[in-house]
Amino acid sequence: EDQVTQSPEALRLQEGESSSLNCSYTVSGLRGLFWYRQDPGKGPEFLFTLYSAGEEKEKERLKATLTKKESFLHITAPKPEDSATYLCAVQAGTGNQFYFGTGTSLTVIP
Amino acid sequence: DVKVTQSSRYLVKRTGEKVFLECVQDMDHENMFWYRQDPGLGLRLIYFSYDVKMKEKGDIPEGYSVSREKKERFSLILESASTNQTSMYLCASTPGWPYNEQFFGPGTRLTVL
């Protein structure tokens, strides 16, 4: 069965304290791995798509990387406005379905 | 910018009522999706549609049906609402492969009493 697991469930950081969020997956025929940010009471907002192992994408303080088994979302010198839940999703095989992890809730303390 | 709108932000219904949730996207996207999101369970796919009048069941279709009569509009129907359908409902759309990033609506918080 296809699975996506995110860790940790929750993460508290001091402002400026860099860290990484993990998304591990067990799927056959990965077509894409997606990162989203979700603020409380809102829909997820797209951040990155990664297609193949070794690929990296960056946006401001965020950098996403991909290996054959997992993806990392690195947050460099985070600010309080980076506080949100970060979701990972994969699309695999020939279907149109996406499989989501349960997310990492990030809190950045001033 | 792609915009996905949902008909209501908050909805309160009674057990047994028929409930309609509507989603509209304005960018001519091929694929549309309905998810529900519950604490600790993440996003679970209810139904998706890859073309007008076409639909496929997701992981948890029981108790739900969908309708897609026009490309921009995807409706989720709860035939007879039950308390275990209290949840956040999220609609999403994608242009189609290889551009498969999902654009989400703001969500509908449904409470069934």
Side-chain angles (χ1 to χ4, degrees):
Chain A
E1 182 180 305
D2 294 336
Q3 265 204 329
V4 180
T5 304
Q6 290 188 247
S7 61
E9 285 187 21
L11 183 62
R12 288 172 65 89
L13 299 173
Q14 289 292 135
E15 184 172 1
E17 179 188 1
S18 301
S19 188
S20 297
L21 282 55
N22 178 262
C23 172
S24 63
Y25 59 92
T26 52
V27 299
S28 300
L30 180 74
R31 292 167 63 194
L33 185 140
F34 306 83
W35 282 99
Y36 294 87
R37 169 194 171 123
Q38 186 175 24
D39 293 302
K42 296 188 176 181
E45 177 186 345
F46 170 74
L47 293 173
F48 303 110
T49 307
L50 301 167
Y51 292 104
S52 56
E55 191 174 357
E56 299 182 353
K57 294 268 179 79
E58 278 189 75
K59 181 180 179 180
E60 295 180 357
R61 295 177 292 281
L62 301 176
K63 179 179 176 181
T65 61
L66 182 65
T67 72
K68 287 188 178 179
K69 293 184 179 180
E70 59 192 347
S71 176
F72 290 94
L73 185 65
H74 306 278
I75 303 176
T76 302
K79 297 182 178 181
E81 53 262 42
D82 294 322
S83 297
T85 295
Y86 290 86
L87 299 171
C88 165
V90 300
Q91 192 177 36
T94 56
N96 289 310
Q97 203 161 343
F98 295 82
Y99 299 94
F100 279 83
T102 53
T104 293
S105 176
L106 174 66
T107 303
V108 182
I109 304 159
Chain B
D1 277 353
V2 175
K3 194 165 185 184
V4 180
T5 57
Q6 295 183 227
S7 49
S8 305
R9 291 300 311 274
Y10 300 94
L11 210 51
V12 180
K13 296 291 182 181
R14 297 260 174 215
T15 302
E17 280 192 81
K18 191 168 186 175
V19 181
F20 294 87
L21 303 182
E22 209 162 56
C23 174
V24 177
Q25 50 93 3
D26 66 358
M27 282 299 289
D28 202 36
H29 283 180
E30 298 291 331
N31 305 318
M32 296 186 75
F33 304 77
W34 274 108
Y35 295 90
R36 62 178 283 177
Q37 185 175 32
D38 300 287
L41 297 178
L43 272 77
R44 292 181 291 166
L45 182 65
I46 305 171
Y47 269 98
F48 67 97
S49 168
Y50 50 90
D51 201 351
V52 175
K53 297 190 188 292
M54 306 301 287
K55 62 187 179 185
E56 280 194 32
K57 293 180 181 179
D59 297 319
I60 50 164
E62 297 79 19
Y64 303 95
S65 62
V66 291
S67 171
R68 194 169 181 199
E69 296 296 319
K70 293 185 178 182
K71 193 174 185 179
E72 67 271 18
R73 194 177 299 267
F74 192 35
S75 300
L76 179 69
I77 302 144
L78 286 65
E79 298 291 341
S80 177
S82 64
T83 55
N84 63 12
Q85 291 178 310
T86 292
S87 186
M88 170 69 99
Y89 289 87
L90 289 161
C91 173
S93 70
T94 70
W97 187 258
Y99 305 105
N100 269 356
E101 59 268 27
Q102 292 188 295
F103 295 88
F104 284 86
T108 295
R109 172 73 65 183
L110 173 67
T111 302
V112 182
L113 301 175

